[in-house]
Amino acid sequence: MFAMQMFDILSFIVPIMFIVVFGIIIFSIIQGISTWHKNNNSPRLTVPAVIVAKRTDVSHHQHANAGDMSGFHTTSSTTYYVTFQVESGDRMEFHVSGLEYGMLAEGDTGRLTFQGTRYLSFER
């Protein structure tokens, strides 16, 4: 009797979880395409700016060893961000490559070029 009730509950929960996960994936794809489209339709702007902050976000991921049940290995990835302040006092944070991040320093002044939420370049 108990096993039959568990089967009934699982036959209800599993499809719901599948639909939720699939919905989240579809929503993320649509949101990414929308941001990409909005950025492409935004004007490219070049404005005077100062670098006021830099930060990183390090993510750690555990993966099972392939073909080996002895354990896991860990990998990490780093995302780089730079915050610029423009003449109006507004601040904008952009995702940049590791190479760009290493070349920029807080306090640098120059000309920031961006398109929507997409960082294009910074020239001192």
Side-chain angles (χ1 to χ4, degrees), residues 8-78:
D8 288 343
I9 291 171
L10 287 177
S11 67
F12 177 73
I13 291 176
V14 170
I16 297 293
M17 292 304 295
F18 177 78
I19 291 170
V20 167
V21 169
F22 188 71
I24 290 170
I25 292 169
I26 295 298
F27 177 78
S28 296
I29 291 170
I30 291 171
Q31 187 178 21
I33 291 171
S34 173
T35 300
W36 176 80
H37 182 69
K38 180 182 173 203
N39 284 340
N40 284 344
N41 289 326
S42 296
R44 289 179 183 233
L45 300 174
T46 300
V47 296
V50 177
I51 298 174
V52 293
K54 292 172 55 176
R55 72 178 180 92
T56 59
D57 181 21
V58 180
S59 300
H60 301 282
H61 309 280
Q62 275 195 342
H63 308 277
N65 290 335
D68 183 3
M69 301 306 286
S70 66
F72 294 88
H73 69 276
T74 303
T75 60
S76 62
S77 61
T78 305

Side-chain angles (χ1 to χ4, degrees), residues 45-46 84 100 111-114 118-123:
L45 300 174
T46 300
F84 298 89
E100 285 277 335
R111 299 182 56 76
L112 168 67
T113 303
F114 63 98
R118 185 183 300 147
Y119 169 83
L120 297 174
S121 67
F122 181 76
E123 297 175 18

